[in-house]
Amino acid sequence: MLAVQNAHVEFRVAQTKKWPWSPAGVVHAVNGVSFDLEPGQTIGIVGESGCGKSTLIRSVAGLTPLASGTVTLDGERVQYDNRASMQRLRATMQMIFQDPIASLNPRMTIREIVTEPLSFFRPEMHIDKRKAAALAMLERVGIPPAQANRFPHEFSGGQCQRIGIARSLVAEPKVLLCDEPVSALDVSVQAQVVNLLKELQREMGLALVFVAHDLGVVRHISDEVLVMYMGAQMERAPAADLVRAPKHPYAQALLSAVPIPDPTVRIAPQMLEGDLPSPMELPPGCLFASRCPHAMTKCANAKPPMLHRDGHEAACFLLEDTPEELDASLEHH
Ligand code: SF4
C-alpha cells in the first residue's frame, strides 16, 4: 500500500558566525529511511525528539519536500510536483496531528470541519449526503451528532483528536499518517484514542504509520517498529521481537528507559554519554558512534551496512562480528 525508498530530507539554513557571503548550511534531517506497509498493518516510528520522525512522515505526505527518494502509494509512484498525482495522494492518504486543538479551524463548526474533505474528494455527492456522512463519522468516533454545530473550543483535547480522526477518515482514505496523535493527551484519554484507531483500522483496512516517542504506546498499536536516530534508520523489526530483544545498541538504550508495569522487574535505564553529532556535519561512520558503549575503531570511519538477523534489520557492525555473545549482552526485558 505504501513504500518509502531511501528518503532524504534537507533544510537549508543561514550560517551563523561566518561571513555573510558564506554558503548556506544544510541540515540533514532524514537520511535514507525505507519502509513499506500492507493494508491493515501498522508501522510505529520511534526515536528521541528531533530524530526526524515527524519530518519523515510530513515529507511522505508532501508537506515538506523530499530531497531524494521515492514514495509509492497503492502501486503508483507519487510525483510531488504533479497536481493530479497530489490529488490522488490526498484522497488516498490522510494525516492526524500532534496538537488536536490547533489542527481544527476555530471558525468552523465541527460538522463543517468533517464535511469539508467530502467537498474536495466527493464533489459529486449531494450536500445532504455529505452532511449525513459527516454526522455518521462523528458518531462513529464517539461525538454525539447533537453537538455537531459546536465549535472546536467547546470540546476537550481528547474530543478534538476524535474530531480530527473523523475529518481524516470521512473520505475513506487507505493510509493514515499519525504524527504523535496522543502525546498531548492524558494517559487514560491516550488509551481511548489508540483503541479507537485500532477499531477503525480493523473496520476500514487502513494502513497506519504511527509516530511517537512513547515506546509503550507504539508497542501496543504496531505490527512493526522502526527506530530512528539522527534522521537515519537504526533498526526495524516486528514490534514484539524488537521489544523483547533489540539488536541495535541505540534501540537497547531507548527500550531500557521504558517503564515496565511489574514491581518485580527492575531494569536500570542506560545513560548514554557523549554528544550528538551536528546534523549539518554528519560523521563519515556510524551516526551513533559518539554515544555508543560498544563503539569500535571502524565505527568512526565506515558506515555500518543494514544487516538482517532473526527478522531484525539493524545498521550495526556488531551483528556481523560476534553475533552470539552480542545477542546475550543485548537481550533484556
Ligand atoms: Fe555502536 Fe559501532 Fe554498532 Fe554504531 S556500528 S551502533 S558505533 S557498535
Side-chain angles (χ1 to χ4, degrees):
M1 178 53 68
L2 174 66
V4 177
Q5 280 299 321
N6 204 17
H8 287 257
V9 180
E10 297 173 351
F11 297 110
R12 299 207 160 265
V13 292
Q15 291 270 37
T16 53
K17 299 184 194 162
K18 290 215 171 175
W19 301 108
W21 53 87
S22 300
V26 175
V27 171
H28 302 273
V30 177
N31 301 300
V33 177
S34 304
F35 66 87
D36 43 32
L37 200 54
E38 301 288 335
Q41 218 190 15
T42 303
I43 186 163
I45 302 182
V46 295
E48 57 199 345
S49 294
C51 72
K53 26 187 212 310
S54 294
T55 307
L56 171 66
I57 65 163
R58 287 181 67 84
S59 64
V60 170
L63 301 176
T64 300
L66 274 174
S68 62
T70 61
V71 175
T72 308
L73 183 60
D74 204 6
E76 191 179 324
R77 183 171 166 179
V78 179
Q79 293 167 2
Y80 291 101
D81 52 0
N82 178 299
R83 195 180 165 84
S85 179
M86 284 307 288
Q87 274 176 346
R88 279 194 295 279
L89 175 138
R90 299 262 184 262
T92 313
M93 181 195 287
Q94 284 288 308
M95 190 161 173
I96 53 176
F97 299 90
Q98 182 173 7
D99 186 339
I101 297 170
S103 67
L104 303 178
N105 187 335
R107 292 169 186 269
M108 293 167 79
T109 64
I110 63 164
R111 182 179 50 74
E112 290 168 337
I113 288 171
V114 178
T115 310
E116 195 178 32
L118 292 172
S119 317
F120 286 112
F121 302 125
R122 302 279 171 78
E124 75 288 352
M125 219 172 163
H126 190 272
I127 180 91
D128 292 340
K129 284 195 172 165
R130 280 186 231 155
K131 284 180 185 169
L135 292 181
M137 196 67 222
L138 279 169
E139 192 168 18
R140 178 63 198 87
V141 299
I143 304 290
Q147 298 178 0
N149 286 329
R150 295 189 184 174
F151 290 88
H153 72 268
E154 296 177 74
F155 294 90
S156 68
Q159 287 174 316
C160 283
Q161 196 56 289
R162 287 170 185 269
I163 297 161
I165 292 170
R167 175 182 58 183
S168 63
L169 296 185
V170 70
E172 298 177 7
K174 296 177 178 169
V175 179
L176 186 62
L177 305 175
C178 310
D179 185 9
E180 305 213 24
V182 295
S183 57
L185 307 176
D186 296 340
V187 177
S188 59
V189 182
Q190 283 186 9
Q192 291 167 11
V193 171
V194 167
N195 289 337
L196 173 66
L197 278 171
K198 284 179 78 170
E199 279 171 30
L200 291 167
Q201 178 183 35
R202 245 192 327 270
E203 284 170 21
M204 302 173 75
L206 280 169
L208 283 186
V209 182
F210 194 94
V211 167
H213 55 251
D214 183 341
L215 255 166
V217 174
V218 169
R219 175 171 54 182
H220 181 63
I221 195 169
S222 307
D223 300 298
E224 246 194 343
V225 176
L226 189 156
V227 180
M228 284 180 71
Y229 178 77
M230 294 288 304
Q233 181 174 336
M234 296 287 115
E235 182 165 353
R236 179 181 157 196
D241 294 348
L242 189 124
V243 168
R244 187 173 40 81
K247 304 282 184 204
H248 194 284
Y250 176 65
Q252 181 195 21
L254 206 62
L255 275 154
S256 75
V258 177
I260 297 174
D262 181 349
T264 61
V265 178
R266 288 180 187 276
I267 294 176
Q270 273 188 34
M271 303 302 289
L272 290 176
E273 291 175 358
D275 295 325
L276 272 88
S278 164
M280 293 172 70
E281 287 169 30
L282 294 179
C286 174
L287 295 177
F288 188 53
S290 60
R291 299 169 80 196
C292 178
H294 305 281
M296 302 167 279
T297 314
K298 66 176 172 182
C299 301
N301 304 318
K303 285 253 178 279
M306 193 60 76
L307 298 168
H308 295 252
R309 180 107 190 281
D310 306 335
H312 295 237
E313 213 182 70
C316 178
F317 287 122
L318 288 171
L319 263 70
E320 62 184 15
D321 285 350
T322 52
E324 295 311 320
E325 298 93 272
L326 173 78
D327 268 0
S329 77
L330 291 185
E331 186 124 2
H332 71 293
H333 287 266

